[in-house]
Amino acid sequence: MSGLSREVLKWLQSLDLTWQIKNPKWDLSNGYLVAEIFSWYFPKDIQMHSFYNRQSLELKKRNWYLLKNFILRNDIDLKMEDVDGTIHCREGAAAQLVETLYEILTNRRVKKIPPEIEVDYTDYAYQLQLPMHARSTAAKAVKNNLRLTEVLADQNLITCAQKPGWFSDRSVFKSQKIINDHIEHRRQERYTDPGRFGIKPTLGDRCVRRPEPPQQLQSEPSHLSNTTDIPAELAGDSGSERPLTREPSVHFKEVDVKQMDKSAFYQLPIQSY
């Protein structure tokens, strides 16, 4: 029962399930034990004779189809990533699903240390531990993070013919999302270690950025506003420090132009020819 806390183990043992959960990754993938857990709290909605205790993909899909309809009908707050990872035996997904069920059904909290990296059920945390030359390429990333059962269960993940029904709110398909994440991770590597990739700073990167002028807040006049009250030493220091700005150093003088009064032209008599 690796990956489960002590209080969750005691809760599972109190339910008197059909068999003991030794490895959640494999024992919960077909959905039979998950349905049995729900049957203890919702005996009228979950009937165990409707579920199959088999490991074939077709029977897994039948079991989880009934469970998904039950979850949506009762508005149970389960992450679909945890459900999808449990079906396809992803590492850590089944344990996270059981802990979420424990919190929802018992109204208690699991005490555990939050992970340093967000869990996304991919090999990204493992890739960070490898040296640069040993990390996976885009094709290898798709192979590592896309299970065969996912492809067999939904061909749209590869062909992109239409959106999957269960993940209708997902905007990017699984295979395309893996490639996009791989490209983003490579971009971050090039940014953090530009010397390895031979990236030279551009002209814009080498330009000196001058700080913006400080914004002076308008406040009520005080006794320090008069320059005669400030000592000469402080006045000299304040005058020597000038903020770096982008304003031009050339100043223009405003010239007042006297306009001619044109009303006199309209008062002249009209001459006839």
Side-chain angles (χ1 to χ4, degrees), residues 3-240:
L4 296 177
S5 60
R6 182 180 179 84
E7 51 191 358
V8 177
L9 294 179
K10 293 174 63 178
W11 171 67
L12 291 175
Q13 292 174 358
S14 66
L15 296 178
D16 193 17
L17 302 177
T18 304
W19 70 86
Q20 184 181 3
I21 300 178
K22 297 181 180 180
N23 192 342
K25 176 181 177 180
W26 304 108
D27 296 337
L28 300 176
S29 63
N30 61 353
Y32 185 83
L33 287 182
V34 178
E36 192 171 359
I37 292 173
F38 278 126
S39 66
W40 281 92
Y41 294 89
F42 304 92
K44 296 182 180 180
D45 298 333
I46 299 295
Q47 305 294 333
M48 292 307 301
H49 60 80
S50 302
F51 296 88
Y52 300 89
N53 188 14
R54 297 292 184 269
Q55 296 298 331
S56 64
L57 182 59
E58 291 298 326
L59 296 181
K60 277 185 181 182
K61 293 170 63 176
R62 292 182 184 180
N63 291 345
W64 281 105
Y65 176 77
L66 297 176
L67 288 174
K68 290 170 183 178
N69 290 336
F70 167 75
I71 292 171
L72 294 176
R73 185 169 60 251
N74 293 272
D75 294 332
I76 299 177
D77 189 14
L78 285 179
K79 293 182 179 179
M80 294 303 105
E81 291 80 4
D82 298 341
V83 175
D84 184 60
T86 304
I87 296 174
H88 303 292
C89 302
R90 293 192 174 276
E91 194 66 36
Q96 181 63 35
L97 180 66
V98 173
E99 291 179 355
T100 306
L101 289 177
Y102 171 78
E103 294 179 351
I104 293 174
L105 298 177
T106 62
N107 293 326
R108 300 175 185 175
R109 290 293 180 184
V110 179
K111 298 179 181 179
K112 61 180 181 179
I113 301 175
E116 298 180 357
I117 303 177
E118 184 180 359
V119 179
D120 54 357
Y121 306 124
T122 60
D123 63 340
Y124 177 60
Y126 170 72
Q127 295 293 329
L128 291 178
Q129 301 175 1
L130 299 177
M132 285 287 187
H133 67 275
R135 296 184 182 180
S136 61
T137 59
K140 186 66 175 178
V142 174
K143 181 180 179 181
N144 294 341
N145 299 310
L146 192 63
R147 297 297 182 93
L148 178 61
T149 54
E150 295 182 81
V151 179
L152 296 177
D154 195 345
Q155 296 291 336
N156 296 322
L157 295 179
I158 299 298
T159 59
C160 295
Q162 58 183 358
K163 291 184 178 181
W166 180 240
F167 295 94
S168 58
D169 57 341
R170 187 172 59 182
S171 59
V172 184
F173 296 103
K174 185 68 176 181
S175 56
Q176 187 63 39
K177 183 178 184 301
I178 294 173
I179 297 176
N180 293 343
D181 293 342
H182 175 77
I183 295 175
E184 182 63 27
H185 296 159
R186 279 305 180 95
R187 186 180 292 109
Q188 294 177 1
E189 293 173 3
R190 294 170 67 89
Y191 179 76
T192 54
D193 192 4
R196 174 178 177 80
F197 298 94
I199 301 176
K200 297 181 180 180
T202 61
L203 181 60
D205 297 335
R206 289 181 290 179
C207 289
V208 178
R209 262 60 174 184
R210 294 185 177 181
E212 297 182 357
Q215 298 180 357
Q216 299 179 357
L217 300 178
Q218 297 181 358
S219 58
E220 297 180 358
S222 60
H223 63 283
L224 294 178
S225 60
N226 191 1
T227 56
T228 56
D229 299 337
I230 304 176
E233 295 81 0
L234 297 178
D237 295 341
S238 62
S240 59

